């Protein structure tokens, strides 16, 4: 896959307290990719009224992310069970306009996010690549990712 075909790069957050620690680096990464390879940036945050979602929204706004979606839930985000968070995000992400335009979704590397990525990938006929350490773009603008394998003893590069 060529980076020039990507129209949107979007960070997705499950609204968990641990999301705040990695939000800055993830948002900076999508902004840097969008500056180098012109495309729109976005952030999808599960929850809107809790402290975690508010902090991530403020970060996304301060970094100049083009679009931010805060997905409200019927109950407090922290009381949602893992499968409920996954169901909400997997149902809503494919319906967002950003998902219909050759979008690259980036998420934190945790169990919840990997399950969401897998569920969304199935619904969108896309790939879910878990625990990627690096995104590479070669001279021909083709994307690949670097992942650890065998308990971190080895690294592999997979072209997209």
């Amino acid at each position: 896959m060529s980076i020039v075909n990507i129209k949107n790069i979007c960070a997705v957050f499950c609204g968990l307290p641990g999301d705040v620690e990695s939000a800055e680096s993830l948002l900076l990464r999508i902004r840097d990719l969008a500056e180098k390879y012109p495309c729109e940036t976005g952030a999808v945050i599960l929850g809107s009224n809790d402290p975690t979602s508010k902090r991530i929204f403020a970060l996304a706004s301060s970094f100049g992310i083009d679009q931010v979606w805060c997905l409200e839930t019927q109950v407090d985000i922290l009381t949602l069970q893992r499968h409920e968070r996954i169901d909400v995000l997997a149902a809503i992400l494919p319906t967002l306009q950003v998902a219909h335009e050759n979008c690259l979704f980036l998420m934190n590397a945790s169990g919840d996010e990997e399950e969401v990525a897998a569920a969304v990938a199935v619904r969108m006929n896309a790939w879910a690549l878990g625990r990627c350490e690096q995104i590479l773009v070669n001279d021909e603008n083709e994307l690949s990712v670097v992942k650890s394998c065998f308990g971190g003893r080895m690294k592999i590069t997979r072209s997209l």
Side-chain angles (χ1 to χ4, degrees), residues 30 34 38 61 67 87 112 143 146:
I30 66 169
S61 298
Q67 297 179 9
D87 288 346
D112 279 7
L143 284 170
V146 176

Side-chain angles (χ1 to χ4, degrees), residues 11-13 16-33 42-43 45 52 55-65 106-108:
V12 180
F13 302 97
L16 301 171
D19 285 350
V20 174
E21 287 97 39
S22 57
E24 183 172 342
S25 63
L26 193 55
L27 291 166
L28 284 172
R29 182 67 178 147
I30 66 169
R31 188 187 70 188
D32 291 346
L33 282 169
I45 307 162
T52 297
R55 288 180 63 195
I56 295 171
F57 180 86
L59 274 174
S61 298
S62 71
F63 291 156
I65 301 302
L106 302 179
M107 304 177 86
N108 294 321

Side-chain angles (χ1 to χ4, degrees), residues 13 17 27 43 48 74 76 85 87 93 100 114 134:
F13 302 97
L27 291 166
S48 61
Q74 298 292 331
D76 181 354
R85 283 193 300 275
D87 288 346
L93 280 178
H100 300 287
E114 286 188 22
Q134 193 174 12

Side-chain angles (χ1 to χ4, degrees), residues 39-80:
C39 60
E40 295 291 313
T41 57
V44 177
I45 307 162
L46 186 57
S48 61
N49 292 320
D50 59 283
T52 297
S53 300
K54 288 179 180 179
R55 288 180 63 195
I56 295 171
F57 180 86
L59 274 174
S61 298
S62 71
F63 291 156
I65 301 302
D66 296 316
Q67 297 179 9
V68 180
W69 295 271
C70 292
L71 309 176
E72 293 191 34
T73 58
Q74 298 292 331
V75 297
D76 181 354
I77 189 71
L78 295 177
T79 64
L80 286 177

